[in-house]
Amino acid sequence: MKVVHTVFSVVLLWICFSCQKQAVEIYIATNGDDTAFGTKDAPIKSIQRARDLSIALIKKSPVDIIFEDGTYYLSESVVFETEHSGSKENGITYKAATKGKAIISGGTLLDLSWERHKDGIYKAKIPEGLTSIDQLYVNGRNQRMARFPNARTGKNVFDTWDLIHTKEPDPDNDPLSSKRIASYENPEGAYVHAMHAALWGDMHWLVKGKTKNDSLILEGGWQNNRPSAMHPRYRIIENVFEELDAPQEWYFNKTERVLYYYPEENIEIQNAKIEVVRLKNLLELKGTKEKPVEFIFFDGLVFRHASRSFMENKEPLLRSDWTTYRGGALKFTGAENCLITNCEFDQLGGNTIFVNNHNRNLTFKSCYIHDSGASGIAFVGDPAMVRSPLFRYGPQDYGSLDRIPGPKGDNYPQDCRVEDCLITMTGRFEKQTAPIQISMSSRITVDHCSIYDVPRAGINISEGTFGGHIIENCDVFNTVLETGDHGSFNSWGRDRFWTPDIKETALQVEKDTLLPYLDMVEPNIIRNSRWRCDHGWDIDLDDGSSRYLIYNNLLLNGGLKMREGYHRMAYNNIIINNSLHPHVWYANSGDVFKKNIISGAYRPAIMSRSIAKDGKWGKELDSNLFITNGFDKTRFLKNKADLNSVVGKPLFVNPQDGDFSVAENSPAFAIGFKNFPMNEFGVVSEKLKSMAKQPIIPSINAFSTKKEGKTYIWDTATVKNVETMEERSAAGLSDIQGVLLVNVPGYSILGRSGFETGDVIISYQGKTIKDFEQIQNLLNENPDLKEMTFKVMHNQEEAQLKLKL
């Protein structure tokens, strides 16, 4: 009888709308009935039912599936397969009757009876069948698992940059101290979260128990592709009953099925709306290249309540610093020609949207993504499409290298767009994440997006496979708030041509000039955007990043970093209170930096390691306008730079209000600079524009020429103390300390002992070397030593070298 009724419902709907060109409408309501007809007066209840009803209807007409206001708690993830597709003529739209009022939830609403426990804490019995709780929402806001240290007002999961260089950890605030662990009756099921020792993201562990010596038994730590020990300061433990001592904290005793909660003073706990999270994925579009899911559209919906996934973040993304979890609240695999518009993604625990392997022509437009646990929108292809793939930072075997250009196949995202989206406060639980993450993909466009308040990069491209991406008209700021050595835009390019040994890479590319193009088959473009990073670079092209065109950008604070790579062109940009940061360029890199307005002298780092024999930097560093007072443009003449550069006032039109266009009589026009729009950065839809923050517009500093750090002569080598963020980043150091070898002749004592230009001496016999004075003292105190074994950073990796005296 049920089958007959289903067929009758479909036939009835078709009869009602077959004579009209408009879409067939199927209505869903939280109080609906899946045996109903699906009309406005007789709505159905579930997405699955609407999805299945549309199969017959879509053959003749477009279908609109309309959600009445309310929260739709999913019993399981909803999967859309090929048979649920629309067509070019007849698409299927899942939309809210009132935008923002229909909520798709992976959680459960609980009706609890609370009673007082003690010290401001309440407790309630949880219904049978609910065996675990990943997240707790009270009146729509995510609460915190009981944790130590407690969260700080105005901070995120970890302390931010202002305390990073505190000298020593405080044992009383160490969540892993034996004294604290001894106070835990049973910490099994707790989580430890810690920053990477060099602040390159984070790592996570599940607590399996504790030892007799009061240390934790841990499982995990695989969430960073360049792993390290835990950071000595930046770590927390959560989900421990004994740490339930602050408002907004909770703990679930699953043995007793009791939820403990410490509400804020303004919460009326008996009347509060209590929701818990169950599902990792809410919706999944699951097709194949041969039979894709097509022409499904989502409009005006709110997606909420998806589980955290940090313990499943295991898969390395080639030689980038990233690992990934192939999942999200919305997951696309084998989808084409689908559109997500005007949707809100609210406080989701893991990745918000994951675009997995073969997908084409997906568009995410006018969406608001906020408070996500991991990344906002991640595009990640299949590593099997990469020729000669390597999955950990390290050397390339050029002898066995596959030298066929391009990918092996097409199982990766291509021709997708993120447009007019506001993305903020991602990375709430995972720090090696980004609002926009791109890996092993092609031709992804990010246009008119506003991105800010995030722990690491705003937009990250993991490697050069396969290029063709366009970043334009974006506004990206307040980034790198909880990590280090990064930028508002960050990329790596550790592709087939690249190896950590800079000289070896240059030698191999000299033999085969096509190497940098093997994976990066089309250039990436960054244009017409505004960037500000106060704890790193505005744009950071890191290890091997090649084939970039960077023009018409306004950089407000951190400048442009271009580390080792080939064929980058940066022109017609404005860099306020900063400059170009050339780091360890290859000989004959082909890099161009011209027609830019910049505030100060270039800020090189370890550029002597592998530049051309005549000292030239790149193909062309010239025809720039320096607005530095007293700048000596002959400073880098030895590097064949700035023969045609000029010094002067740029005559910005209205810089205090963010308009850095130059007046008609500006000397910038003499170098070929052209004005570009200053009022088109970020989101464009009225609703999102009214919500979006704006970056702080800096005052223009009257920079003087940056002073070089003091150098020392050691035997016949030149050395200096590590003193800048640039030097720290170039060497891969975890802190600004150590002795940098500026120039090491092969005949010197250092050179004969295997030390090289660019190495940094960091320790001796387990003791940190902070400056050259320490080395001098060691030599003076031990005049009879024949050799000394130092730990050094060489090509961003630690090594032991014996200095033969």
Side-chain angles (χ1 to χ4, degrees), residues 378-410:
F379 299 89
V380 182
D382 180 359
M385 299 299 98
V386 181
R387 299 181 187 275
S388 297
L390 294 174
F391 294 92
R392 182 59 65 84
Y393 185 99
Q396 178 62 270
D397 180 1
Y398 291 100
S400 62
L401 190 67
D402 183 340
R403 294 175 184 261
I404 299 175
K408 290 182 179 179
D410 57 5

Side-chain angles (χ1 to χ4, degrees), residues 493-520:
R494 301 167 190 160
D495 304 321
R496 275 182 276 175
F497 78 91
W498 186 87
T499 198
D501 188 323
I502 297 160
K503 292 182 180 178
E504 179 65 17
T505 302
L507 177 63
Q508 294 295 332
V509 174
E510 186 178 353
K511 293 178 182 177
D512 183 354
T513 57
L514 295 180
L515 280 180
Y517 298 92
L518 294 182
D519 290 313
M520 192 78 175

Side-chain angles (χ1 to χ4, degrees), residues 406-458:
K408 290 182 179 179
D410 57 5
N411 193 30
Y412 51 82
Q414 181 171 300
D415 295 319
C416 298
R417 291 182 61 85
V418 183
E419 180 180 345
D420 185 35
C421 287
L422 171 55
I423 312 179
T424 180
M425 294 292 286
T426 58
R428 296 306 83 213
F429 305 118
E430 301 176 52
K431 305 305 170 184
Q432 187 71 292
T433 54
I436 304 289
Q437 158 67 359
I438 302 172
S439 175
M440 295 174 286
S441 301
S442 174
R443 300 175 191 160
I444 307 300
T445 296
V446 183
D447 184 15
H448 278 298
C449 290
S450 293
I451 296 171
Y452 51 82
D453 294 348
V454 294
R456 205 138 172 76

Side-chain angles (χ1 to χ4, degrees), residues 234-281:
Y234 298 101
R235 52 200 191 188
I236 67 171
I237 187 168
E238 68 170 2
N239 203 31
V240 179
F241 181 63
E242 288 83 356
E243 301 296 357
L244 180 54
D245 61 358
Q248 295 187 295
E249 290 189 347
W250 61 273
Y251 176 80
F252 176 50
N253 186 319
K254 55 185 178 181
T255 302
E256 300 174 357
R257 295 197 346 272
V258 174
L259 175 64
Y260 296 86
Y261 176 56
Y262 191 149
E264 294 179 285
E265 290 185 1
N266 62 345
I267 297 293
E268 296 181 10
I269 187 63
Q270 300 295 354
N271 298 319
K273 182 179 181 181
I274 308 297
E275 296 166 297
V276 295
V277 175
R278 295 179 302 102
L279 301 180
K280 282 191 176 68
N281 303 97

Side-chain angles (χ1 to χ4, degrees), residues 509-659:
V509 174
E510 186 178 353
K511 293 178 182 177
D512 183 354
T513 57
L514 295 180
L515 280 180
Y517 298 92
L518 294 182
D519 290 313
M520 192 78 175
V521 294
E522 297 180 78
N524 290 338
I525 298 173
I526 302 175
R527 64 189 178 196
N528 297 101
S529 295
R530 182 168 64 185
W531 308 86
R532 176 164 182 158
C533 185
D534 289 5
H535 306 301
W537 293 272
D538 295 336
I539 297 177
D540 183 356
L541 304 187
D542 212 349
D543 299 350
S545 297
S546 299
R547 297 199 74 186
Y548 274 79
L549 296 176
I550 302 173
Y551 60 92
N552 293 3
N553 293 280
L554 175 60
L555 281 63
L556 292 176
N557 188 77
L560 168 62
K561 171 185 161 188
M562 295 167 67
R563 194 182 164 95
E564 59 212 51
Y566 286 94
H567 308 296
R568 287 85 58 94
M569 178 178 286
Y571 64 95
N572 216 72
N573 302 287
I574 301 172
I575 302 178
I576 301 300
N577 298 341
N578 216 302
S579 186
L580 169 69
H581 296 245
H583 286 198
V584 284
W585 283 9
Y586 299 122
N588 304 312
S589 67
D591 290 329
V592 173
F593 183 79
K594 65 179 183 180
K595 301 181 181 179
N596 302 287
I597 300 174
I598 53 181
S599 292
Y602 308 132
R603 299 187 177 182
I606 320 183
M607 286 293 281
S608 58
R609 179 171 279 183
S610 181
I611 58 174
K613 292 180 180 179
D614 63 358
K616 186 177 182 182
W617 290 351
K619 182 179 179 181
E620 184 180 5
L621 271 73
D622 204 355
S623 300
N624 297 298
L625 171 61
F626 292 90
I627 62 176
T628 302
N629 289 349
F631 173 67
D632 179 6
K633 76 167 191 171
T634 67
R635 180 176 175 186
F636 297 108
L637 284 181
K638 62 182 181 297
N639 306 115
K640 309 298 188 291
D642 296 322
L643 291 173
N644 299 291
S645 294
V646 297
V647 180
K649 294 182 179 180
L651 303 180
F652 293 130
V653 173
N654 190 10
Q656 62 271 21
D657 291 332
D659 185 355

Side-chain angles (χ1 to χ4, degrees), residues 657-699:
D657 291 332
D659 185 355
F660 289 88
S661 301
V662 297
E664 292 182 0
N665 57 337
S666 170
F669 294 117
I671 61 165
F673 180 84
K674 297 180 180 179
N675 279 324
F676 54 92
M678 292 284 161
N679 59 352
E680 297 179 4
F681 307 121
V683 291
V684 294
S685 56
E686 288 304 316
K687 179 180 179 180
L688 295 180
K689 281 181 70 175
S690 68
M691 297 166 58
K693 288 170 60 174
Q694 299 291 312
I696 295 173
I697 302 302
S699 299

